[in-house]
C-alpha cells in the first residue's frame, strides 16, 4: 500500500466556498454567554488574525459550525443511534430514515454532507492554526491553538469512524485524506490508511494538551476535555492502558462530579453541569434548528410541534435493557411515544434534547435550543471500566458501579460478575441518543440486530442483523468528490 501519510484533500470546486466560510464564520457574533468576544470586521485572509481576540472569534465560529444540522446539531448524532440497534421507527420516510435502512449511495445528499461539512471545519482549523503560528510572538495564543488542534482531532476521529473500518478490525484499510495545512485547489490527495488517521489524531491531541488551560471553559475545550477525547480514541484503538490512564486523569482531577440519582433527570434542564466536559452551546436565533432539531427527531409525534413526526424512538431491545430496573433514574427522561391511545404504553421517546418530558429546555427561550453534550464524565467512568477490565476487574467493577447505581435495584458488579457486555449495556443505558452506540458495537465486533419487526418495516438495503462483514457499515466516498478528484475512484469503499 502506498504511504499516504502526508496526503491532503480538497474538492477543487469547494475552495472558494470554503475560503468564504473561513472569513464569514471567523467573524460571526453570538450571544455573550456563548461567544464572549465582540465581532471583528473581516479583512484580508493573511492578516485577519492579529490578536488573541481575533483568534477566539474564529474559534467560536468553528465551534458554532460544529452544531450544524449536518454534524452535532443533528445528523451525526442520529447516524450513530439509527445504525446502532437502540432505536427504531414506525414507518420509513419520516426524516433521515436512510440512516436506519442503510440506504446509502455515493450520490445521497444526506450522507455527502458529512464529508463536505467536516472537511470545511478541518480547513478552518488548519487556517486558524497556521495563522496563530504566524503571529505567535504577538500574544499568548497557546490555549486557542490547543483547542484548534483538539477540534481537528475530533473532526478526523468522527470522519474516519464514518468512512473507514474500525481500527480494531482493519487498520490497514482506507480511512480519509489527512489535510494538515491550507492547500491549493489543484491538489488531489488520496485517502490515508485508518492507522495513519489515528496516528494523526493522537499527534494533534498530544500536541494540544500542554497548551490547554485546566480551568473549566463553558462552551469550549480545556485540558480535561482533551484528555477525555484521548480516552475515547485510545479505547477505539483497544489501547487499554492509555485509555485508562487518560480517563483516570479526568476522574481524579476532581474538576467534574457525577450527578446524584436525584439530580440526573434535572441535569438535562441545565447548561454546563458538573458532568459536562465538552458541551456545544445552542443559542436561540443563532444556531437553534427549531423544527429540524434533535429535540424534534426524538419526540413523540405531534408533541409540542406539528413538525414532530415521531422519527426515532427506543427499540424494544433498549427498553428491555433499561427495564432491568423499573426504578432506574434514566426512565425519567423517557416519554410515551404512542401514536394512538389504543396502543400499549411504550416509553421510547427521548427528551434529553428537550430538557425534560415537559419540554422545559435548558434555560433558554425555546425547548429546541438545548446544548449538545459531546462528552460527559459518565462516559469517562465507563471508558475507565472497560479499559480496566483487561487488567484489574475489581477496579473495573468500581468504575462501572459508579454509573450502575443509577439502577438502584440492580446488584453491583463484582470482579466475578463483570463482563464487557455488562459494561456495554450500561453505556447504552447512560448514553442513549448521545451518538455512541453504533461506534461501540463496531469497534467491539458485535452484531447489530434491528427492531424492524416493531412495525414490519420493509427493509431492502440491509438484513435484520449486520456485522463487520456487511459492506455498508461504512459510508461511500461521495460521487461529487470522486468527480473532482478521480484518484479517489480507485479507493471507493467496497460494494459501492
Amino acid at each position: 500500500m502506498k504511504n499516504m501519510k502526508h496526503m491532503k484533500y480538497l474538492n477543487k470546486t469547494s475552495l472558494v466556498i470554503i475560503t468564504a466560510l473561513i472569513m464569514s464564520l471567523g467573524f460571526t457574533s453570538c450571544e455573550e454567554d456563548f461567544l464572549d468576544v465582540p465581532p471583528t470586521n473581516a479583512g484580508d485572509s493573511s492578516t485577519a488574525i492579529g490578536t488573541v481576540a481575533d483568534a477566539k472569534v474564529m474559534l467560536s465560529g468553528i465551534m458554532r459550525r460544529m452544531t450544524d444540522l449536518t454534524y452535532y446539531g443533528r445528523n451525526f448524532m442520529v447516524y450513530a443511534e439509527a445504525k446502532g440497534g437502540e432505536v427504531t421507527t414506525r414507518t420509513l420516510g419520516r426524516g433521515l430514515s436512510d440512516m436506519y435502512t442503510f440506504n446509502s449511495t455515493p450520490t445521497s445528499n444526506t450522507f455527502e454532507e458529512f464529508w463536505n461539512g467536516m472537511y470545511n471545519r478541518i480547513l478552518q482549523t488548519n487556517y486558524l492554526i497556521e495563522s496563530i503560528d504566524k503571529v505567535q510572538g504577538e500574544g499568548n495564543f497557546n490555549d486557542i491553538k490547543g483547542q484548534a488542534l483538539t477540534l481537528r482531532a475530533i473532526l478526523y476521529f468522527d470522519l474516519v469512524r464514518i468512512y473507514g473500518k474500525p481500527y480494531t478490525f482493519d487498520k490497514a484499510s482506507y480511512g480519509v485524506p489527512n489535510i494538515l495545512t491550507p492547500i491549493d485547489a489543484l491538489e488531489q490527495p488520496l485517502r490515508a490508511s485508518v492507522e495513519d488517521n489515528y496516528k494523526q489524531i493522537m499527534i494533534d491531541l498530544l500536541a494540544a494538551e500542554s497548551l490547554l488551560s485546566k480551568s473549566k471553559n463553558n462552551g469550549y475545550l480545556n485540558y480535561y476535555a482533551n484528555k477525555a477525547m484521548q480516552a475515547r480514541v485510545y479505547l477505539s484503538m483497544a489501547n487499554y492502558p492509555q485509555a485508562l490512564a487518560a480517563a483516570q486523569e479526568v476522574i481524579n482531577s476532581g474538576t467534574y462530579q457525577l450527578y446524584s440519582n436525584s439530580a440526573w433527570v434535572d441535569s438535562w434542564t441545565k447548561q454546563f453541569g458538573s458532568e459536562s466536559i465538552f458541551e456545544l452551546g445552542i443559542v436561540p436565533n443563532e444556531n437553534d434548528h427549531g423544527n429540524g432539531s434533535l429535540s424534534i427527531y426524538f419526540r413523540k409525534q405531534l408533541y409540542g410541534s406539528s413538525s414532530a413526526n415521531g422519527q426515532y424512538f427506543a427499540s424494544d431491545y433498549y427498553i428491555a435493557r433499561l427495564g432491568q430496573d423499573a426504578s432506574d433514574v434514566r426512565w425519567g427522561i423517557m416519554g410515551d411515544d404512542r401514536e394512538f391511545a389504543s396502543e400499549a404504553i411504550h416509553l421510547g421517546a427521548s427528551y434529553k434534547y428537550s430538557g425534560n418530558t415537559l419540554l422545559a429546555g435548558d434555560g433558554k427561550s425555546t425547548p429546541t435550543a438545548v446544548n449538545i453534550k459531546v462528552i460527559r464524565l459518565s462516559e469517562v467512568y465507563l471508558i475507565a471500566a472497560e479499559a480496566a477490565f483487561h487488567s484489574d476487574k475489581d477496579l473495573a467493577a468500581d468504575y462501572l458501579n459508579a454509573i450502575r447505581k443509577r439502577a438502584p435495584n440492580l446488584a453491583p458488579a463484582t470482579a466475578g460478575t463483570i463482563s464487557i457486555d455488562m459494561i456495554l449495556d450500561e453505556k447504552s443505558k447512560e448514553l442513549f441518543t448521545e451518538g455512541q452506540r453504533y461506534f461501540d458495537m463496531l469497534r467491539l465486533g458485535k452484531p447489530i440486530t434491528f427492531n424492524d419487526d416493531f412495525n414490519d418495516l420493509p427493509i431492502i438495503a440491509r438484513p435484520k442483523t449486520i456485522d463487520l462483514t456487511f459492506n455498508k457499515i461504512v459510508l461511500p466516498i461521495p460521487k461529487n468528490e470522486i468527480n473532482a478528484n478521480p484518484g479517489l475512484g480507485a479507493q471507493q469503499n467496497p460494494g459501492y
Side-chain angles (χ1 to χ4, degrees):
M1 182 180 295
K2 293 181 180 179
N3 182 351
M4 300 176 185
K5 198 169 184 178
H6 302 294
M7 292 182 175
K8 313 177 190 85
Y9 171 75
L10 180 61
N11 183 326
K12 291 189 292 183
T13 62
S14 302
L15 182 65
V16 174
I17 296 172
I18 291 169
T19 302
L21 279 169
I22 288 171
M23 296 305 301
S24 65
L25 293 178
F27 304 104
T28 299
S29 65
C30 292
E31 288 190 358
E32 188 173 299
D33 59 345
F34 181 40
L35 307 180
D36 56 349
V37 291
T40 303
N41 291 329
D44 180 79
S45 61
S46 63
T47 59
I49 294 179
T51 67
V52 172
D54 290 337
K56 190 170 184 181
V57 170
M58 181 162 282
L59 176 71
S60 299
I62 298 170
M63 291 284 194
R64 178 181 166 189
R65 292 307 299 267
M66 298 281 282
T67 66
D68 284 354
L69 281 175
T70 57
Y71 198 17
Y72 281 107
R74 189 186 68 197
N75 290 8
F76 181 76
M77 307 294 273
V78 173
Y79 178 93
E81 296 300 322
K83 291 177 175 288
E86 286 193 318
V87 301
T88 188
T89 185
R90 284 185 170 80
T91 187
L92 304 180
R94 290 191 172 182
L96 302 181
S97 61
D98 283 354
M99 294 184 180
Y100 182 78
T101 63
F102 284 64
N103 190 26
S104 50
T105 70
T107 57
S108 301
N109 291 336
T110 298
F111 299 103
E112 182 178 10
E113 286 305 312
F114 284 131
W115 183 283
N116 293 339
M118 290 187 203
Y119 270 115
N120 284 349
R121 305 295 87 74
I122 285 170
L123 292 180
Q124 289 162 4
T125 61
N126 289 346
Y127 174 85
L128 176 56
I129 292 165
E130 183 177 87
S131 298
I132 287 173
D133 287 342
K134 289 179 179 178
V135 295
Q136 189 65 262
E138 300 178 29
N140 187 354
F141 292 82
N142 283 353
D143 188 71
I144 296 174
K145 182 177 180 180
Q147 291 193 62
L149 287 166
T150 304
L151 280 178
R152 187 168 71 182
I154 292 170
L155 284 155
Y156 270 119
F157 182 54
D158 291 341
L159 267 173
V160 73
R161 290 188 296 169
I162 290 176
Y163 291 100
K165 294 178 181 178
Y167 184 97
T168 50
F169 175 53
D170 189 0
K171 65 183 180 182
S173 60
Y174 288 126
V176 296
N178 277 335
I179 309 175
L180 306 178
T181 61
I183 64 174
D184 186 89
L186 297 179
E187 293 189 52
Q188 295 186 329
L190 305 177
R191 298 173 72 183
S193 69
V194 169
E195 182 175 23
D196 279 344
N197 288 150
Y198 273 81
K199 285 180 180 177
Q200 185 56 51
I201 290 163
M202 288 313 308
I203 286 171
D204 279 349
L205 288 174
L206 293 172
E209 66 175 51
S210 64
L211 303 176
L212 289 162
S213 168
K214 292 186 176 181
S215 300
K216 293 184 74 172
N217 194 7
N218 292 344
Y220 296 90
L221 292 150
N222 69 357
Y223 174 87
Y224 296 112
N226 175 287
K227 280 293 182 179
M229 291 307 305
Q230 286 188 39
R232 187 187 276 180
V233 174
Y234 278 132
L235 194 71
S236 295
M237 300 169 71
N239 186 335
Y240 300 119
Q242 292 288 3
L244 178 59
Q248 286 180 317
E249 187 164 356
V250 177
I251 293 167
N252 295 339
S253 72
T255 305
Y256 308 92
Q257 292 81 39
L258 292 175
Y259 299 126
S260 66
N261 279 11
S262 60
W264 190 89
V265 173
D266 282 346
S267 72
W268 297 98
T269 65
K270 299 175 175 62
Q271 302 175 54
F272 309 114
S274 67
E275 276 199 22
S276 187
I277 299 173
F278 179 35
E279 181 172 324
L280 289 166
I282 304 292
V283 181
N285 301 319
E286 292 280 354
N287 57 342
D288 176 7
H289 299 303
N291 287 330
S293 66
L294 279 170
S295 172
I296 296 293
Y297 268 62
F298 289 115
R299 278 189 205 177
K300 179 181 179 177
Q301 187 180 35
L302 301 180
Y303 184 47
S305 170
S306 60
S307 297
N309 292 322
Q311 281 96 332
Y312 284 113
F313 54 93
S315 68
D316 288 340
Y317 313 142
Y318 176 80
I319 288 177
R321 192 176 302 130
L322 193 61
Q324 292 169 354
D325 183 1
S327 298
D328 194 314
V329 299
R330 290 163 294 202
W331 280 114
I333 207 69
M334 305 297 292
D336 185 1
D337 64 54
R338 292 177 298 171
E339 293 189 1
F340 305 101
S342 59
E343 297 175 350
I345 292 176
H346 194 262
L347 298 179
S350 172
Y351 289 93
K352 287 181 176 178
Y353 303 106
S354 299
N356 61 16
T357 57
L358 300 177
L359 309 184
D362 66 0
K364 308 190 193 89
S365 58
T366 64
T368 55
V370 172
N371 292 355
I372 307 299
K373 296 171 175 60
V374 178
I375 192 160
R376 298 191 289 119
L377 185 62
S378 295
E379 181 186 346
V380 177
Y381 268 83
L382 292 164
I383 290 172
E386 184 180 339
F389 177 84
H390 300 276
S391 58
D392 186 339
K393 289 184 173 55
D394 282 311
L395 181 61
D398 287 343
Y399 284 126
L400 177 60
N401 287 332
I403 310 302
R404 188 175 171 85
K405 68 183 181 182
R406 289 178 178 162
N409 294 322
L410 291 186
T414 67
T417 62
I418 193 171
S419 67
I420 292 296
D421 283 338
M422 183 185 290
I423 297 169
L424 188 62
D425 282 353
E426 194 61 39
K427 194 171 186 181
S428 165
K429 290 186 280 188
E430 179 65 24
L431 302 181
F432 181 59
T433 66
E434 294 182 57
Q436 298 301 314
R437 179 67 172 181
Y438 183 55
F439 303 121
D440 281 335
M441 297 295 278
L442 290 183
R443 69 177 176 80
L444 290 169
K446 299 284 187 181
I448 302 171
T449 299
F450 296 89
N451 196 183
D452 300 337
D453 46 338
F454 184 89
N455 202 33
D456 194 24
L457 296 174
I459 309 296
I460 298 173
R462 62 150 172 80
K464 180 177 173 62
T465 298
I466 65 169
D467 59 26
L468 290 174
T469 65
F470 183 53
N471 74 289
K472 288 192 172 184
I473 60 169
V474 294
L475 291 183
I477 305 304
K479 179 64 174 173
N480 284 340
E481 306 304 321
I482 293 174
N483 290 341
N485 183 359
L488 290 173
Q491 298 181 332
Q492 180 62 282
N493 286 326
Y496 289 109

